[in-house]
């Protein structure tokens, strides 16, 4: 135990942990590792160091030291729970409408046997889908797919090192993620994005009016595309090296003039996929005032989105001209798109915060006509699902021309793809989704998943079990064998 270690050894351990804390203070984002966290951790480290010292040097008071250690641990765990868990949700709200969710999902699966995902307008946790048994586009896991996390970050959806969250979606990203249905605890006002299809208790199930099929075909023939469209299309499938340097230089110079935000990146994405001439999200006025508010002036009817390109601001409130409804956006230090809802030309939206950071707001109005054109183009040639489960997908598609079939399945080592019965190398669309090049004609598609490293894991487990049983057998045999003189 601890009694065999010298004070010098314990002091070196203490000094090593202290150095680690100092490194964290310098390298980790201050939003994640604040000065107060550093200070409290340092105090706890000093307390535990002192308790270890007294435990060694004062044998008569060891029981008292143990009681003191237990008390400090209980205080530490209690404060941690109070700060991180108690304010989040109580058990009653956590399980509220539990049966209603299952009833909605049961009826939905009876009427729709296609591949789709479901999301909520307001989530209790990042893992509501696991709790309530619906296929979600949000996940909290230390081993989450980095491809998905990077996709969410690029296009303005909430994410961190341990989760990705649907918050910050737009109709385009929702369609790419195959989020076909949304659940709400409040009835939505009439709008063009969703329509009500079912109700259960205090839950409302809405169907998304703008969706994409499980597999959609992107025509990559470049004869009628501009240099910028060619470059962006090639970037989507990771084929930039195949372009001529002249095209890259000309188009990259022109692209560099545009301010890069998740919404302008979505403009590029929509243009590359469907050759739309108008931007999907059009920039509108967003002016910062002297009191660090932002005034957004709406110049045309439509859905308004805003993006704050800084991690210094965590909470923002948005109010309209009539101030009847105020929206609150939390954890904006994770940098996600704010959905400000539908507004009419002439409306004024005010963004305010009590945080010390300075706004870096860009605001946009969505062109719904361009959205419809883009998704209609991508849906013209779609894959028909014949069967699917958690590890297998089978389907067929007929395409005209050459291009890429994009599936709404994130790439993960272990997927095997077959086209017309022959195993084919998997491409990755936007460094996230599985895709495969197809030629003109009819094709069958098979997708199967076998976890990478599973065989090695099984072998190691079998060897470990055999070694464990062998050790038990050898020990018992040695004990049972009588000693001879």
């Amino acid at each position: 135990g601890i009694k065999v270690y010298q004070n010098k050894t314990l002091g070196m351990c203490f000094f090593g942990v202290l150095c680690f804390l100092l490194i964290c203070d310098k390298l980790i984002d201050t939003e994640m590792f604040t000065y107060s966290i550093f200070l409290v951790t340092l105090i706890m480290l000093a307390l535990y160091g002192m308790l270890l010292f007294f435990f060694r040097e004062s044998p008569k008071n060891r029981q008292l030291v143990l009681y003191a250690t237990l008390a400090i641990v209980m205080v530490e765990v209690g404060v941690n729970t109070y700060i991180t868990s108690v304010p989040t949700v109580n058990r009653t709200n956590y399980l509220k409408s539990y049966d209603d969710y299952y009833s909605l999902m049961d009826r939905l699966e009876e009427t729709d046997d296609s591949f789709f995902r479901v999301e909520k307008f307001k989530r209790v946790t990042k893992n509501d889908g696991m709790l309530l048994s619906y296929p979600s586009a949000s996940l909290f896991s230390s081993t989450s797919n980095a491809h998905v996390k990077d996709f969410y970050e690029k296009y303005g959806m909430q994410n961190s090192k341990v989760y990705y969250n649907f918050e910050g979606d737009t109709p385009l990203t929702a369609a790419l993620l195959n989020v076909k249905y949304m659940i709400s605890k409040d009835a939505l006002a009439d709008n063009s994005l969703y329509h009500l299809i079912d109700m259960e208790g205090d839950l409302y199930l809405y169907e998304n009016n703008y969706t994409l099929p499980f597999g959609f075909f992107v025509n990559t023939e470049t004869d009628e595309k501009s240099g910028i469209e060619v470059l962006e299309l090639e970037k989507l499938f990771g084929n930039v090296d195949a372009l001529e340097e002249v095209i890259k230089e000309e188009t990259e110079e022109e692209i560099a003039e545009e301010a890069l935000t998740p919404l302008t990146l979505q403009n590029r994405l929509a243009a590359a996929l469907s050759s739309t001439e108008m931007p999907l999200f059009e920039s509108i006025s967003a002016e910062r005032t002297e009191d660090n508010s932002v005034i957004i002036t709406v110049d045309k009817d439509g859905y308004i989105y805003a993006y704050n390109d800084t991690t210094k601001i965590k909470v923002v409130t948005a109010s309209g001209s009539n101030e009847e409804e105020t929206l609150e956006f939390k954890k904006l230090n994770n940098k996600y798109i704010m959905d400000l809802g539908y507004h009419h030309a002439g409306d004024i939206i005010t963004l305010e915060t009590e945080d010390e950071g300075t706004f870096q707001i860009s605001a946009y109005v969505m062109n719904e006509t361009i959205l419809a054109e883009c998704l209609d183009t991508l849906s013209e040639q779609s894959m028909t699902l014949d069967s699917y489960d958690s590890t297998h997908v089978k389907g067929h598609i007929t395409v005209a021309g050459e291009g890429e079939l994009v599936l709404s399945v994130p790439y993960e080592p272990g997927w095997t793809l077959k086209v017309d019965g022959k195993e084919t190398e998997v491409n990755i669309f936007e460094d996230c989704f599985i895709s495969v090049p197809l030629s003109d004609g009819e094709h069958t598609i098979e997708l199967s998943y076998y976890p990478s490293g599973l065989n090695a894991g099984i072998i190691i487990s079998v060897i470990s079990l055999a070694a464990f049983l062998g050790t038990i057998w050898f020990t018992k045999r040695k004990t049972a064998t009588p000693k001879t003189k």
Side-chain angles (χ1 to χ4, degrees):
I2 193 66
K3 292 179 284 187
V4 303
Y5 294 101
Q6 298 180 356
N7 287 337
K8 181 180 179 181
T9 304
L10 296 176
M12 292 175 62
C13 292
F14 177 86
F15 180 75
V17 176
L18 178 61
C19 291
F20 176 74
L21 279 177
L22 293 173
I23 292 172
C24 290
D25 184 50
K26 296 297 182 182
L27 299 182
I28 297 180
D29 187 348
T30 54
E31 296 293 333
M32 302 293 293
F33 194 79
T34 62
Y35 178 74
S36 59
I37 292 176
F38 170 77
L39 185 60
V40 171
T41 305
L42 186 61
I43 292 173
M44 299 303 298
L45 176 63
L47 285 174
Y48 288 130
M50 291 170 56
L51 290 169
L52 286 174
F53 176 79
F54 287 124
F55 184 82
R56 275 186 49 82
E57 298 299 320
S58 183
K60 295 181 179 180
N61 297 318
R62 280 178 180 168
Q63 189 170 13
L64 179 62
V65 172
L66 290 175
Y67 286 143
T69 304
L70 178 61
I72 293 175
V73 170
M74 291 177 64
V75 170
E76 180 184 358
V77 173
V79 171
N80 184 284
T81 302
Y82 179 80
I83 294 175
T84 62
S85 300
V86 174
T88 303
V89 65
N90 59 50
R91 181 171 177 80
T92 301
N93 289 334
Y94 189 80
L95 297 175
K96 187 178 181 180
S97 305
Y98 184 87
D99 294 333
D100 295 339
Y101 281 103
Y102 275 87
S103 297
L104 275 181
M105 291 302 104
D106 288 343
R107 291 201 295 269
L108 181 58
E109 290 174 359
E110 291 176 359
T111 58
D112 189 344
D113 60 358
S114 65
F115 184 98
F116 57 80
R117 294 186 176 93
V118 180
E119 265 299 337
K120 298 167 65 177
F121 287 105
K122 293 181 180 179
R123 282 158 291 280
V124 179
T125 73
K126 305 292 189 299
N127 287 332
D128 282 8
M130 289 186 180
L131 173 68
L132 302 168
S133 191
Y134 63 79
S136 173
S138 301
L139 177 68
F140 187 107
S141 171
S142 298
T143 58
S144 60
N145 190 325
H147 292 281
V148 181
K149 183 265 181 193
D150 292 342
F151 178 86
Y152 278 44
E153 181 175 10
K154 180 176 181 179
Y155 290 114
M157 301 172 70
Q158 196 180 63
N159 68 92
S160 79
K161 295 178 181 178
V162 294
Y163 72 79
Y164 48 84
N165 185 22
F166 194 63
E167 189 77 21
D169 69 290
T170 68
L172 178 61
T173 51
L176 290 171
L177 291 168
N178 208 354
V179 176
K180 190 175 180 180
Y181 301 99
M182 296 291 296
I183 298 174
S184 174
K185 289 191 174 181
D186 301 301
L188 302 182
D190 290 340
N191 66 85
S192 56
L193 299 182
Y194 310 98
H195 65 275
L196 182 66
I197 61 170
D198 200 357
M199 295 174 58
E200 183 71 30
D202 62 349
L203 300 179
Y204 299 82
L205 179 63
Y206 289 88
E207 184 173 359
N208 194 337
N209 292 332
Y210 295 103
T211 59
L212 284 172
F214 168 78
F216 60 87
F217 184 72
V218 180
N219 192 312
T220 57
E221 294 178 335
T222 60
D223 293 344
E224 298 181 0
K225 295 181 183 293
S226 68
I228 293 179
E229 290 169 350
V230 172
L231 178 62
E232 289 301 315
L233 191 61
E234 294 292 335
K235 282 182 178 180
L236 295 178
F237 298 101
N239 298 324
V240 175
D241 292 340
L243 292 176
E244 296 180 4
E245 292 298 323
V246 175
I247 296 179
K248 287 171 60 177
E249 291 175 3
E250 291 178 352
T251 54
E252 285 180 340
E253 285 180 4
E254 187 171 346
I255 288 175
E257 297 176 359
E258 181 184 30
L260 290 181
T261 70
L263 289 154
T264 56
L265 290 173
Q266 290 188 40
N267 283 342
R268 292 188 188 182
L269 180 63
L273 292 176
S274 59
S275 299
T276 55
E277 296 182 359
M278 297 288 292
L280 173 59
F281 297 98
E282 301 174 28
S283 179
I284 59 176
S285 173
E287 297 182 357
R288 192 169 70 241
T289 64
E290 294 181 356
D291 62 350
N292 196 31
S293 297
V294 170
I295 305 298
I296 298 174
T297 304
V298 181
D299 57 7
K300 62 177 64 177
D301 296 356
Y303 294 93
I304 308 300
Y305 299 88
Y307 181 73
N308 186 38
D309 195 9
T310 176
T311 60
K312 302 298 182 181
I313 293 178
K314 296 181 179 180
V315 180
V316 168
T317 57
S319 56
S321 301
N322 53 19
E323 297 186 356
E324 291 181 358
E325 182 180 5
T326 299
L327 301 176
E328 185 177 58
F329 300 91
K330 299 180 179 179
K331 297 184 178 180
L332 276 173
N333 51 304
N334 289 120
K335 296 176 69 173
Y336 62 90
I337 295 170
M338 292 177 278
D339 182 351
L340 302 179
Y342 190 89
H343 290 269
H344 297 283
D347 283 355
I348 301 295
I349 306 171
T350 303
L351 303 184
E352 298 174 300
T353 183
E354 295 182 359
D355 297 326
E356 294 181 358
T358 301
F359 276 120
Q360 298 178 28
I361 291 288
S362 52
Y364 305 82
V365 58
M366 185 179 71
N367 188 325
E368 202 166 343
T369 301
I370 297 300
L371 174 68
E373 290 178 0
C374 175
L375 299 185
D376 286 345
T377 298
L378 294 176
S379 300
E380 287 176 357
Q381 303 179 78
S382 61
M383 174 178 164
T384 300
L385 276 177
D386 298 322
S387 63
Y388 75 93
D389 56 34
S390 59
T391 58
H392 296 84
V393 176
K394 290 184 179 180
H396 61 275
I397 185 173
T398 301
V399 300
E402 294 185 353
E404 291 264 349
L405 174 65
V406 179
L407 307 177
S408 59
V409 176
Y411 173 77
E412 189 91 41
W415 281 110
T416 300
L417 180 65
K418 291 183 179 180
V419 177
D420 301 328
K422 297 180 180 180
E423 187 170 332
T424 305
E425 184 178 354
V426 172
N427 285 352
I428 308 180
F429 169 75
E430 265 300 69
D431 293 325
C432 183
F433 300 104
I434 291 175
S435 69
V436 61
L438 295 180
S439 58
D440 186 271
E442 184 176 349
H443 302 279
T444 58
I445 308 296
E446 297 180 46
L447 197 62
S448 59
Y449 180 73
Y450 191 82
S452 176
L454 179 59
N455 290 338
I458 292 174
I459 292 172
I460 293 172
S461 298
V462 170
I463 293 174
S464 300
L465 179 61
F468 175 70
L469 295 176
T471 301
I472 294 176
W473 175 80
F474 180 78
T475 303
K476 286 185 176 181
R477 182 180 179 184
K478 186 176 180 180
T479 304
T481 302
K483 297 183 179 180
T484 58
K485 295 184 179 180

